[in-house]
Amino acid sequence: MSVEVQDLPLHVQRDQFDPPAGINALRDKPGLERVTDSLGRAAWLVTRYEEAREVLGDATRFSNSRVPSVEMPGVDPDEARAGQLLALDPPEHTRLRRLLTGEFTVKRIRRLQPRIAEIVTEALDAMEAAGPPSDLVHDFALPVPSLVICELLGVPYADRDEFQTRAGKQIDLTLPIEERGRVFTEARAYMGELVDRARAEPGDDLLGMLVREHGDDVTRSELVGIASLLLIAGHETTANMLALSTLVLLRHPEQAALVRDDPDAVAPAVEELMRFLSIVHAAVPRVAIVDTEVGGQAIADGDLVLVQLAAADRDRALADDPDRLDVGRAAAPHVAFGHGVHHCLGAPLARMEMATAFPALLQRFPTLATTTEIARADFREGTFIYGMRSLPLTW
């Protein structure tokens, strides 16, 4: 069900692929804007590229862990924060992230490429066998990263309907706090069972590795938090990028042809699609922990700060003609994966999945096309991660 865009906080609004005009106007004004976040809290909104990198890259002035906890009925705030890397600052964040870094290096992820290619091929085979039309979200964009993260983490793929439904609700900013608390509790209970199973009999997956190699260094609650975050981030982000990017490419057929036919064009195309779409509207909020200044705006100790990633990635300081998709451009590093100590841990995996999936999809179905006009209801509005609810295609 579509929500009214104007009823959403400004920093999570979209106009199909673009930030809303109001956000773009703020980026061109001096200073920062005072806005209200999805919980009704006052915050400073950062919309420019250099200032986004400044805030995200400075954990000595801007804290993740001091952001006030969201009070959800029946949820212990300390338990909810345990293992949640995005809610922690160094050195606690550093301690836990270091346990995972080796599993997400570019070199390690390259070893997964053959299996990722198999998963992509299997999904395409199933689409072709079923014949058109096909909902790309249901048949390709969601299954591919879900199976990849399940195998990597050690989550039964048979449970996908349940955890995908819960994940969708956990990132839905329009749901009442009571329901979000209930879903959060269910998700942690589910992951707690998998953690207990791994602690009793560690497998060859990521959960098993954490238990075998770091069992004395990490608590059960931290394991549950780490695994829960990886499961949601590991499929929600890539799934929405696969669907939204496919629609963008279909609207730019000459650029889709480059991705389909030129292997050297794929990696730059992934970066440009990430920059152009920036599906995570805004970074996790920060709290200023000193009196400081950003963009000429005085910010007091204790003030909440929001960094609008989609706006920053459309800044002329980052790319010429930034509102134009150009898969061949060589722009400066985007902030769609964040920046600083909280730069997305799974970025190498997401890049590998996209670089494998896009050319394979376009090569298998060179006449791919939408079956109907894409309506507003097909876009996931009001969620922390932007994307598509459905994408009906034919070939």
Side-chain angles (χ1 to χ4, degrees):
M1 181 178 179
S2 180
V3 298
E4 292 301 318
V5 173
Q6 63 268 23
D7 293 335
L8 297 170
L10 183 62
H11 71 285
V12 295
Q13 293 182 21
R14 291 290 176 106
D15 180 7
Q16 292 205 359
F17 307 121
D18 305 323
I23 282 282
N24 292 330
L26 292 181
R27 191 179 51 223
D28 295 331
K29 289 172 54 179
L32 305 182
E33 188 76 4
R34 198 71 164 156
V35 297
T36 301
D37 74 359
S38 58
L39 296 171
R41 303 175 297 192
W44 294 108
L45 184 64
V46 175
T47 55
R48 289 182 287 275
Y49 175 71
E50 293 296 343
E51 290 151 14
R53 286 171 61 88
E54 177 185 351
V55 172
L56 298 178
D58 193 345
T60 66
R61 290 192 293 154
F62 301 99
S63 166
N64 286 45
S65 66
R66 299 194 196 181
V67 175
S69 298
V70 179
E71 294 186 8
M72 295 183 288
V75 177
D76 180 346
D78 292 333
E79 183 75 9
R81 192 179 291 271
Q84 289 292 332
L85 295 174
L86 294 174
L88 300 175
D89 294 330
E92 192 68 3
H93 170 269
T94 309
R95 175 181 70 85
L96 293 179
R97 181 164 173 134
R98 189 178 291 132
L99 307 181
L100 301 166
T101 303
E103 299 300 311
F104 289 95
T105 63
V106 173
K107 183 177 180 180
R108 185 68 62 91
I109 295 302
R110 280 184 184 143
R111 298 179 188 174
L112 298 178
Q113 202 281 330
R115 178 56 185 146
I116 293 172
E118 287 180 359
I119 291 171
V120 167
T121 298
E122 289 165 4
L124 293 174
D125 288 346
M127 284 176 60
E128 188 170 24
S134 174
D135 181 349
L136 193 79
V137 173
H138 181 271
D139 297 334
F140 185 75
L142 193 53
V144 167
S146 293
L147 182 51
V148 171
I149 196 62
C150 280
E151 292 188 355
L152 180 63
L153 188 57
V155 172
Y157 186 59
D159 296 344
R160 63 191 178 278
D161 288 342
E162 295 177 21
F163 71 67
Q164 287 169 356
T165 298
R166 284 194 297 265
K169 291 181 177 180
Q170 284 179 270
I171 65 171
D172 189 341
L173 302 175
T174 69
L175 288 184
I177 288 295
E178 294 78 11
E179 184 171 357
R180 291 165 69 180
R182 177 183 59 78
V183 174
F184 179 86
T185 300
E186 291 175 358
R188 281 193 70 91
Y190 169 74
M191 191 56 69
E193 293 178 2
L194 297 185
V195 165
D196 290 340
R197 195 180 307 167
R199 295 174 86 187
E201 191 174 343
D204 295 329
D205 46 60
L206 187 55
L207 264 180
M209 180 279 293
L210 288 171
V211 169
R212 283 193 312 274
E213 299 183 15
H214 307 289
D216 296 332
D217 305 319
V218 62
T219 68
R220 178 186 184 275
S221 292
E222 287 172 337
L223 279 174
V224 171
I226 290 169
S228 297
L229 176 61
L230 291 177
L231 180 60
I232 293 178
H235 77 274
E236 275 286 351
T237 50
T238 306
N240 285 292
M241 269 301 298
L242 289 175
L244 205 58
S245 297
T246 297
L247 181 57
V248 170
L249 290 171
L250 291 179
R251 292 187 177 179
H252 296 81
E254 73 291 347
Q255 301 199 47
L258 284 174
V259 175
R260 182 190 65 218
D261 299 332
D262 183 0
D264 293 333
V266 176
V270 168
E271 300 308 312
E272 172 68 351
L273 289 164
M274 287 294 305
R275 181 202 69 81
F276 187 76
L277 296 171
S278 299
I279 59 168
V280 177
H281 299 287
V284 171
R286 267 69 167 172
V287 164
I289 52 178
V290 294
D291 290 338
T292 187
E293 181 181 293
V294 173
Q297 176 67 56
I299 297 177
D301 183 352
D303 282 358
L304 198 65
V305 180
L306 294 172
V307 177
Q308 223 284 353
L309 303 175
D313 276 335
R314 295 292 189 92
D315 192 339
R316 287 184 293 274
L318 170 61
D320 294 330
D321 196 7
D323 293 322
R324 178 176 59 87
L325 180 73
D326 178 3
V327 298
R329 84 161 80 231
H334 57 74
V335 291
F337 283 124
H339 178 64
V341 298
H342 291 285
H343 182 271
C344 177
L345 179 69
L349 177 60
R351 286 182 168 112
M352 178 64 74
E353 290 175 299
M354 288 185 279
T356 304
F358 290 139
L361 173 67
L362 296 171
Q363 289 166 12
R364 181 70 70 96
F365 304 117
T367 59
L368 201 64
T370 55
T371 61
T372 60
E373 182 66 28
I374 302 300
R376 261 198 51 215
D378 295 316
F379 291 90
R380 294 180 64 181
E381 296 169 341
T383 54
F384 182 72
I385 301 169
Y386 189 57
M388 304 293 297
R389 286 190 174 85
S390 64
L391 182 56
L393 299 178
T394 190
W395 56 87

